Amino acid sequence: MTKKIAVIGLGHFGTDLALSLAEKGAEVLAIDENLERLDDIKDRVTHTVCLDATEERALRSQGLHEFDAVVVGIGDDFEATLLTVAMLQQIGVKRIIVRATTSAHERILNHLGINEVILPATEAAERLANMLMFERIVDSFELSSDFTIVEVAAPETLIGQSLQKLDLQKELGVSLITIKRMERRKGILGLGSRTVERVLGIPTPETTIERGDVLVVFGNKKDLQRILRS
């Protein structure tokens, strides 16, 4: 099913995010009150709309409550960000992700019930696009415009199979770097138990993928999308 994502605010972050999502196959609605910014990307995203995102009536007319997520990338105008977030909450948007410029802004947004707050980072837009498009992604690290490393929750189709049988390099064109596995261990002095994350090191052909594993995988972005969709 095609993801429907709206991006409000087309600064550098918002523009990069909207274009990255569109390239990955999402239906993207780009919103800004600056026509020039919209004109720059109108041929590369699904829809563009010029409106004031702090006006509830204008936002409500876009049917944003039906979208998988709405990302507020206004950034520099924190008052406008807060008003936009309030409007989105009022109209019942399911998932709101907000770009903040300071940790203080992040704390304020958290108090308003916004748990997904993005602070500026070079690869933030690309990482967020991956996480929105591929829900199994835990994290990602872009090495170049073509190659990346992703941490992805093990797909159901791979569970219980050995790496020798799967042969990810041959079948999907990607390399498994390691596996992160959650394990139960006894507490201090043998009292109770606790869950800890263990990195398995370099996997062997006999290593079997278990439910709950996080696979750390390297490859070309196009090839990685095959395992993310499996």
Side-chain angles (χ1 to χ4, degrees):
M1 183 180 295
T2 302
K3 295 278 188 177
K4 293 181 62 176
I5 300 166
V7 179
I8 300 175
L10 298 179
H12 291 302
F13 173 82
T15 298
D16 287 347
L17 177 62
L19 295 177
S20 184
L21 286 166
E23 289 170 0
K24 290 173 173 32
E27 180 180 329
V28 178
L29 169 61
I31 298 174
D32 200 285
E33 55 184 350
N34 186 314
L35 274 173
E36 289 185 8
R37 291 178 177 176
L38 293 169
D39 285 341
D40 287 341
I41 68 168
K42 66 181 181 181
D43 296 327
R44 300 169 66 186
V45 299
T46 314
H47 304 289
T48 57
V49 175
C50 184
L51 59 77
D52 181 352
T54 63
E55 294 185 1
E56 180 182 347
R57 186 174 180 180
L59 282 182
R60 192 179 291 275
S61 68
Q62 301 306 311
L64 296 178
H65 62 285
E66 299 178 350
F67 279 61
D68 294 294
V70 177
V71 182
V72 181
I74 297 172
D76 295 334
D77 188 343
F78 191 57
E79 182 180 355
T81 295
L82 290 177
L83 289 171
T84 300
V85 167
M87 295 301 100
L88 294 173
Q89 291 176 323
Q90 185 69 24
I91 63 180
V93 172
K94 292 177 290 187
R95 184 180 183 189
I96 304 171
I97 303 169
V98 185
R99 175 181 178 263
T101 54
T102 70
S103 56
H105 290 170
E106 180 182 22
R107 288 194 296 272
I108 293 170
L109 289 164
N110 290 159
H111 284 306
L112 292 176
I114 304 300
N115 298 316
E116 293 185 87
V117 180
I118 305 297
L119 289 170
T122 303
E123 74 282 9
E126 177 71 16
R127 292 175 66 189
L128 178 54
N130 282 330
M131 293 172 69
L132 284 165
M133 290 300 295
F134 307 108
E135 294 178 357
R136 283 196 300 272
I137 282 189
V138 177
D139 201 356
S140 64
F141 178 70
E142 187 173 0
L143 296 176
S144 71
S145 58
D146 295 316
F147 292 93
T148 190
I149 295 172
V150 298
E151 295 183 10
V152 57
E156 191 70 26
T157 53
L158 305 187
I159 293 171
Q161 300 192 57
S162 70
L163 298 183
Q164 184 174 34
K165 181 179 179 180
L166 289 172
D167 198 352
L168 296 176
Q169 180 67 54
K170 179 180 179 181
E171 296 299 323
L172 298 176
V174 301
S175 298
L176 180 67
I177 299 172
T178 190
I179 297 174
K180 294 183 176 182
R181 180 169 292 168
M182 302 304 294
E183 297 181 345
R184 297 290 294 177
R185 294 185 182 176
K186 290 183 178 180
I188 299 175
L189 302 178
L191 301 175
S193 62
R194 58 197 176 98
T195 301
V196 298
E197 181 182 84
R198 182 166 74 93
V199 177
L200 300 190
I202 299 174
T204 68
E206 292 73 33
T207 300
T208 299
I209 296 175
E210 298 181 3
R211 182 169 280 102
D213 282 352
V214 173
L215 312 181
V216 183
V217 186
F218 165 78
N220 183 286
K221 292 179 181 179
K222 292 182 179 178
D223 291 330
L224 286 169
Q225 289 186 21
R226 296 164 63 190
I227 191 172
L228 294 172
R229 292 192 170 103
S230 62

